[in-house]
Amino acid sequence: MKESIRKQDFSSEFYTSERCFIAEQSNSTDDEALSIARARVEPGVTTRWHRLRKSAERYYILSGIGRVEIGDLPAEDVKPGDVVIIPPMSRQRIANTGQEDLVFLALCTPPFTKDDYEDIDELPVC
């Protein structure tokens, strides 16, 4: 780990095939243990079913309201201040059920990599 200060910067926000916007806040060799991204889901949108192969992920809800589905758990409503814990290989998706953007931090350990992501939207649920 290397000492550093990361300033909030949403100019690098990009749209993903998952149907949400991502702004990487911290994902570098300065901190090999954790990545942090700001995710934004527009009203009425549900992200695609997906999973991370190796990383555990946590969502920290900042604003908006939604409904999250993880693994075999029943769907659960989420609001600001809620924390969603997602183990590696757990299928997941989140829906924005409100009228404003649903915004949350996605914290991954080990840090997120594109190779870790798997879209499973078309796979049958077992």
Side-chain angles (χ1 to χ4, degrees):
M1 180 181 296
K2 183 178 174 184
E3 295 171 339
S4 64
I5 297 172
R6 305 233 173 233
K7 299 290 186 176
Q8 182 170 275
D9 177 16
F10 300 134
S11 67
S12 64
E13 181 183 70
F14 58 95
Y15 187 74
T16 71
S17 59
E18 187 184 326
R19 296 193 283 249
C20 69
F21 294 87
I22 297 291
E24 290 281 353
Q25 299 300 299
S26 180
N27 192 350
S28 74
T29 56
D30 288 352
D31 185 355
E32 307 89 10
L34 171 75
S35 66
I36 304 170
R38 177 185 166 266
R40 183 170 62 85
V41 180
E42 295 179 315
V45 172
T46 300
T47 62
R48 293 179 61 83
W49 280 111
H50 66 284
R51 63 185 168 205
L52 300 183
R53 293 180 182 104
K54 297 177 184 173
S55 293
E57 189 169 22
R58 296 115 182 125
Y59 293 168
Y60 179 77
I61 310 299
L62 296 172
S63 63
I65 57 172
R67 189 158 185 83
V68 70
E69 297 171 88
I70 309 165
D72 296 326
L73 292 177
E76 182 91 23
D77 292 334
V78 291
K79 64 185 183 331
D82 289 347
V83 175
V84 179
I85 299 171
I86 308 161
M89 293 301 291
S90 292
R91 70 186 189 112
Q92 59 175 294
R93 71 179 178 180
I94 192 166
N96 182 338
T97 59
Q99 300 300 311
E100 63 182 59
D101 286 348
L102 173 62
V103 180
F104 56 95
L105 295 179
L107 302 105
C108 294
T109 54
F112 176 84
T113 65
K114 289 180 183 179
D115 293 339
D116 199 19
Y117 179 89
E118 183 178 16
D119 184 312
I120 58 170
D121 206 66
E122 304 300 325
L123 297 179
V125 177
C126 298

